Amino acid sequence: MKTVFKYLFVLVSLIVTYLFFGAGAYLMPDKAVHHHVKQTLEHGDLCSDQPRAVLPSLLQTRMDNYTDAIILNQADVMRVEGFSAGVLSVPRWWAPLLPFEVLRAGVDGQQMEIRHYARYWHGNTFLTRYLLAFCDYVNIRFLLYIVSSMLLVWCGTLLCRKSGWQTVAAVMFGLFVCYAFVMQFSMQFAMVLILTLAGMIAIANARKSLMPFFVIGSLVCFFDLLTAPMLTLGMMLVVHIALMSDREMWQGWKQGIYGVLLWTIGYAGTWVAKWIIATLFTSENVIHEGIENIINRSGVDDFSRWDAVMVNIDLLPWKYIVVAVLAVAFLAIIWFNVKGWRRAVQLLPIAVLPWVWYFLAANHSYWHSWFTFRAQAVSVAAIILALMQMVDWKRIKIVQRTN
C-alpha cells in the first residue's frame, strides 16, 4: 500500500506540474511570440507539409511540418480566450486550408473560427510558446537537434560503460535504420526521441528502480501527439534487461512486466486526468470526446488490424536489417554462447511491443504509418541484441589475439 501511495503522489505531483507549466505559458506576453511566429512564416519551410530530411529520395525521412504549423498556431493563439480555455482547451485558428495557410491568415489578422483540441495535454505547444519568446521555428528546430544529439552521445557513452558496446550497437542500429534521426528536425517528433534517450539514461542510472518507467510514461502523454510512444517503453525495457546479470532471469521477467504496467499506468493515468480536469473546468465534455477518439483510433475501416501492422513493417529498410541479422547469426554459429539464451528470451518479447500497439491502435497506425513505423526501432534493437547474446565475444577476442 505504501508503494501505491508513492506512485499516486508522483502522478499527482506531475499533473500539478503540467498545469503550472501550461499556466506559465498562458501568462507569457504575446508580443515576442507573435514576432517570432511572423518571422517563422518569412524564413521557415512550413509551406511544404512533409519535407524530407537528409535523404530526400526516401519516403521514410518525411518530417511533419503539417503538425508543426498547428503547434505554432496553438502557441500563438493560446491567449485568445480565457485562462481555463487557453490551458485546458488549447484553442487554435481553423479554416479549410493547409495549416501553414491558416497560420499565415491568422497572423495577417483575418477573422477565422476558433476550434479546441482539448483531449491532449499539448505539452509540446506550451514548450514551443516558451521558446518562441526567444527565437523562431528554425532556431527551435536547431535547438531540439542540439539537445537530442547531446543526449544521444551521453546515452551511448553511458550504456557502453555500464552494459557494453553490444547494447550500444543494437540500440543505435535500431534507431538508425528506423530513421530516428529525422525526429530531431520536427517539433512534433523530437520530444519522443528526447524522452526515449532520457528514459534509457534514467534506467542506466536508476539502480533497478522502476520509477523511470512511470515518470516517462506520464511525460510522453504530456508532450506527445501519438507519434511513437512505444519507442520510449521499448527502449527502456531493452536497456533494463541488458543491465541485468544472467542469473537474474526470473527477476528480469518480473521487473520487465512491472515496468510495462507502470509505464501504461503513468501514460493512461495522465491522459484520463486531463480529460477529467478539462471536463470539470471548461464547458466541453472532454471525457466523451476522449472515449470517442479511442474507439475511432483503435477501430478499422476498409483494412484489417493485420494490415495496420504490415503497412508499418513494410516501411522498414529490410536489406540492412537482414544483413545485420545474418552477420550476427553467423558469429553465433561459429562462436556459440550456450549461456546467452537466458537474456535472449527476455529480449525477444520486447520486440513485439510496437506490433501490439499497431494491432490495438489500428486506425491511427494505418493512416499515420509514415511516422508510427519508427517505434520498430525497439523491435530491431531487441532482436539484434538477443542474437548478440548467443555470441561468445570473449572467444572472438582470443582468436584475434592469437592471429
Side-chain angles (χ1 to χ4, degrees):
M1 187 60 69
K2 187 177 179 181
T3 302
V4 172
F5 280 117
K6 180 179 74 171
Y7 281 101
L8 182 60
F9 175 78
V10 170
L11 181 60
V12 171
S13 299
L14 286 168
I15 299 301
V16 171
T17 301
Y18 300 155
L19 291 171
F20 274 102
F21 191 73
Y26 178 89
L27 294 172
M28 285 177 52
D30 281 331
K31 184 176 180 180
V33 175
H34 292 334
H35 169 73
H36 287 117
V37 169
K38 186 175 182 179
Q39 195 175 69
T40 293
L41 289 167
E42 294 172 356
H43 304 296
D45 59 350
L46 291 172
C47 56
S48 177
D49 286 339
Q50 296 173 4
R52 301 176 189 182
V54 185
L55 301 170
S57 63
L58 296 178
L59 291 173
Q60 294 94 326
T61 62
R62 285 175 288 181
M63 299 186 292
D64 193 3
N65 284 10
Y66 183 97
T67 306
D68 281 3
I70 294 175
I71 292 171
L72 290 167
N73 183 341
Q74 292 172 162
D76 195 36
V77 185
M78 191 174 179
R79 287 167 59 93
V80 74
E81 297 182 328
F83 179 80
S84 60
V87 176
L88 298 175
S89 296
V90 194
R92 73 182 191 274
W93 289 308
W94 185 88
L97 303 168
L98 292 172
F100 84 92
E101 295 173 328
V102 174
L103 183 61
R104 185 179 299 279
V107 168
D108 290 341
Q110 296 183 30
Q111 293 297 315
M112 285 181 290
E113 180 183 347
I114 294 293
R115 287 196 176 181
H116 295 157
Y117 206 171
R119 63 184 179 271
Y120 291 99
W121 275 98
H122 293 286
N124 210 340
T125 293
F126 302 150
L127 176 61
T128 298
R129 184 170 168 85
Y130 282 112
L131 295 176
L132 284 170
F134 305 99
C135 58
D136 65 4
Y137 174 68
V138 175
N139 287 296
I140 289 175
R141 292 203 307 188
F142 182 69
L143 178 63
L144 292 172
Y145 170 74
I146 292 297
V147 171
S148 56
S149 296
M150 291 175 65
L151 284 173
L152 192 67
V153 173
W154 182 8
C155 181
T157 304
L158 184 64
L159 291 182
C160 189
R161 180 165 57 86
K162 293 206 169 188
S163 180
W165 68 267
Q166 292 92 340
T167 301
V168 179
V171 167
M172 297 305 167
F173 179 75
L175 290 172
F176 180 79
V177 297
C178 290
Y179 305 97
F181 56 85
V182 176
M183 300 173 76
Q184 296 178 285
F185 305 116
S186 286
M187 296 191 306
Q188 151 79 334
F189 300 147
M191 286 308 299
V192 173
L193 179 61
I194 287 171
L195 289 172
T196 298
L197 296 170
M200 289 191 284
I201 291 168
I203 288 294
N205 287 317
R207 297 182 180 178
K208 299 184 181 180
S209 169
L210 298 178
M211 183 60 76
F213 285 101
F214 187 74
V215 173
I216 292 294
S218 178
L219 287 170
V220 171
C221 180
F222 179 66
F223 283 106
D224 185 38
L225 296 175
L226 283 180
T227 56
M230 279 294 105
L231 187 63
T232 61
L233 173 60
M235 285 304 193
M236 290 172 70
L237 284 171
V238 168
V239 171
H240 180 72
I241 296 301
L243 290 170
M244 303 195 77
S245 69
D246 293 336
R247 298 178 182 178
E248 298 176 303
M249 178 178 175
W250 300 115
Q251 183 71 5
W253 278 105
K254 180 180 176 181
Q255 291 200 339
I257 292 171
Y258 284 161
V260 172
L261 290 175
L262 287 172
W263 185 95
T264 304
I265 293 169
Y267 185 79
T270 301
W271 216 339
V272 171
K274 172 60 192 297
W275 297 349
I276 293 172
I277 294 169
T279 300
L280 290 174
F281 293 97
T282 69
S283 59
E284 302 174 59
N285 188 346
V286 183
I287 295 175
H288 176 72
E289 180 190 347
I291 293 172
E292 264 192 345
N293 275 274
I294 285 180
I295 294 170
N296 177 43
R297 290 306 192 183
S298 61
V300 294
D301 193 359
D302 56 350
F303 54 87
S304 69
R305 294 189 180 276
W306 290 113
D307 289 334
V309 176
M310 292 308 301
V311 75
N312 281 272
I313 290 177
D314 287 343
L315 285 170
L316 291 174
W318 281 104
K319 58 184 178 181
Y320 301 115
I321 296 171
V322 169
V323 169
V325 167
L326 291 177
V328 179
F330 175 77
L331 294 176
I333 292 171
I334 304 300
W335 293 286
F336 182 65
N337 176 25
V338 68
K339 297 179 181 180
W341 70 271
R342 292 178 177 272
R343 190 170 292 162
V345 297
Q346 294 178 74
L347 287 164
L348 288 175
I350 300 172
V352 306
L353 283 176
W355 302 324
V356 171
W357 177 275
Y358 301 148
F359 187 86
L360 296 176
N363 179 280
H364 183 270
S365 301
Y366 183 87
W367 293 115
H368 298 288
S369 59
W370 64 276
F371 61 74
T372 61
F373 85 95
R374 293 194 183 100
Q376 293 171 108
V378 172
S379 307
V380 175
I383 291 170
I384 293 294
L385 189 57
L387 286 172
M388 283 182 159
Q389 306 308 306
M390 308 310 296
V391 179
D392 191 338
W393 299 100
K394 293 180 179 179
R395 288 174 60 195
I396 296 178
K397 290 179 182 179
I398 292 173
V399 170
Q400 289 174 342
R401 286 171 185 169
T402 55
N403 290 338

